[in-house]
Amino acid sequence: MIKNNLANIIFVISSLLVIFFIHPILSIILGILFATFFKDKAKVISKKIGSYPLQIGIVFLGSTIGLDTLTPVIKDYFIWVSVFVIFSFLICYSIGRLVGLDSKLNLLLSSGSAICGATAMALVSPLIKAKPQTLLISLAIIFTLNTIAIILFPIIGSYLGMSPYEFGAFSALAIHDTASVIGSALQFDTNSVEVATALKVMRTLWLIPLIIILNYKFNTNKVKNAFPLFIVFFIFAIYISNAINFSYETILYLNILSKTLIAYGIFAIGLQSSNLDLSVIKAKPLITAISVWFIVIPVAYFVAIS
């Protein structure tokens, strides 16, 4: 009883800190720390919250993006993103085959590395009838790499003297999960977030052909409702905001609201570490994921600055 009350108090304090500071690194650290000391409570909270704060925050972010920002991003990077997704998938799958990785685990890691991390793996898992342990291993690896990315990528971007535009593109290509992409961009420069989000959405759209292909191959017929709806709402929010032409004050408030929700979404991602047992990570999948990352990061950098 005492521990439960203490957990509630710590959770409220942590939530207030996340909302007040709107700092991605602080958010994920607080989430991981809470999950470490109050694992059972974190599991309950994580199950209730899920990824809703992040998804809602991304939709609100869409309402702040002008077509004058989005159009050149699509024009500059659409082909690059498409080539990059295919390249990343094939590289990861080839390395996985080379080290003798289980075929279904290899598909999960390839999907997560190429498109959108945990979201892609969670959607692909039932399509290929992967075992829960297989999904858990892939999630644990991607979660670990994404946590590292939120902390280190802004430092790398500053060291390399990247502009906000370049870093937004770099993080969107080199980082797996949407939360980590936006968190990293937000940590680097607020002007990086719009570019990072737009490119990450373009990557996420590749879920559609991936799901269709895997559904055909494994004949599971589970395509219905597989695509994340928040992406649709994000695109719709961009259309509405540009059609109505929101005032500067309205966009400012929406921007603050979106960043607050995204920060809390990253905190929720940290809470999800309570569901992961890092001891399940084995050498072969870890070697595969890290090898792909070391190939993808420099490629993403050169694409971003080109």
Side-chain angles (χ1 to χ4, degrees):
M1 185 66 177
I2 295 176
K3 185 176 181 180
N4 186 59
N5 290 336
L6 178 60
N8 289 332
I9 294 171
I10 298 297
F11 176 74
V12 171
I13 293 173
S14 299
S15 297
L16 291 174
L17 288 172
V18 168
I19 293 170
F20 181 79
F21 287 104
I22 314 180
H23 194 288
I25 293 178
L26 176 65
S27 297
I28 197 165
I29 288 176
L30 287 173
I32 292 172
L33 286 175
F34 186 87
T36 301
F37 292 104
F38 305 102
K39 188 172 184 177
D40 292 337
K41 189 70 175 180
K43 285 183 178 180
V44 173
I45 296 172
S46 176
K47 188 175 181 179
K48 290 181 179 179
I49 296 176
S51 58
Y52 291 119
L54 177 69
Q55 293 179 6
I56 296 170
I58 291 173
V59 172
F60 276 117
L61 181 63
S63 64
T64 69
I65 298 178
L67 290 178
D68 56 336
T69 299
L70 187 62
T71 302
V73 170
I74 295 174
K75 181 181 178 181
D76 291 344
Y77 289 107
F78 177 77
I79 299 298
W80 281 113
V81 168
S82 301
V83 172
F84 190 86
V85 167
I86 297 171
F87 169 78
S88 299
F89 187 94
L90 293 177
I91 285 293
C92 187
Y93 193 77
S94 298
I95 293 176
R97 289 285 298 272
L98 187 64
V99 301
L101 200 61
D102 172 78
S103 60
K104 292 184 178 179
L105 178 55
N106 197 8
L107 275 174
L108 289 179
L109 282 177
S110 299
S111 302
S113 298
I115 301 177
C116 55
T119 301
M121 293 187 296
L123 293 176
V124 166
S125 180
L127 292 176
I128 64 175
K129 300 177 182 178
K131 295 179 180 179
Q133 180 73 358
T134 303
L135 177 60
L136 183 63
I137 292 171
S138 60
L139 287 173
I141 291 173
I142 294 300
F143 177 84
T144 302
L145 295 181
N146 283 329
T147 302
I148 294 171
I150 290 179
I151 297 171
L152 291 185
F153 270 50
I155 298 173
I156 295 172
S158 297
Y159 176 77
L160 295 174
M162 302 181 75
S163 69
Y165 188 93
E166 291 171 341
F167 185 82
F170 172 62
S171 61
L173 292 173
I175 303 176
H176 311 104
D177 274 329
T178 302
S180 302
V181 168
I182 297 175
S184 177
L186 191 61
Q187 173 69 15
F188 182 78
D189 191 294
T190 54
N191 294 320
S192 299
V193 178
E194 291 185 359
V195 177
T197 306
L199 290 187
K200 194 67 181 73
V201 167
M202 278 197 279
R203 277 182 70 184
T204 304
L205 290 173
W206 274 87
L207 276 174
I208 298 173
L210 177 67
I211 289 170
I212 292 173
I213 292 170
L214 291 179
N215 182 72
Y216 175 78
K217 179 176 175 60
F218 291 89
N219 195 30
T220 56
N221 298 314
K222 293 182 179 179
V223 174
K224 185 179 180 181
N225 297 327
F227 188 74
L229 285 177
F230 79 93
I231 296 297
V232 178
F233 289 126
F234 169 80
I235 296 172
F236 184 68
I238 294 175
Y239 171 77
I240 290 296
S241 66
N242 283 274
I244 297 176
N245 195 18
F246 288 145
S247 66
Y248 172 79
E249 290 77 14
T250 301
I251 291 176
L252 182 63
Y253 288 132
L254 288 170
N255 196 30
I256 294 172
L257 180 59
S258 71
K259 289 176 181 177
T260 303
L261 286 166
I262 287 168
Y264 202 80
I266 294 170
F267 172 64
I269 296 296
L271 293 178
Q272 291 175 19
S273 63
S274 61
N275 299 315
L276 300 177
D277 180 5
L278 297 183
S279 66
V280 302
I281 298 178
K282 305 300 181 183
K284 287 183 179 180
L286 187 59
I287 290 171
T288 301
I290 292 176
S291 299
V292 172
W293 223 25
F294 277 117
I295 295 171
V296 163
I297 288 174
V299 173
Y301 171 72
F302 285 113
V303 170
I305 64 173
S306 62

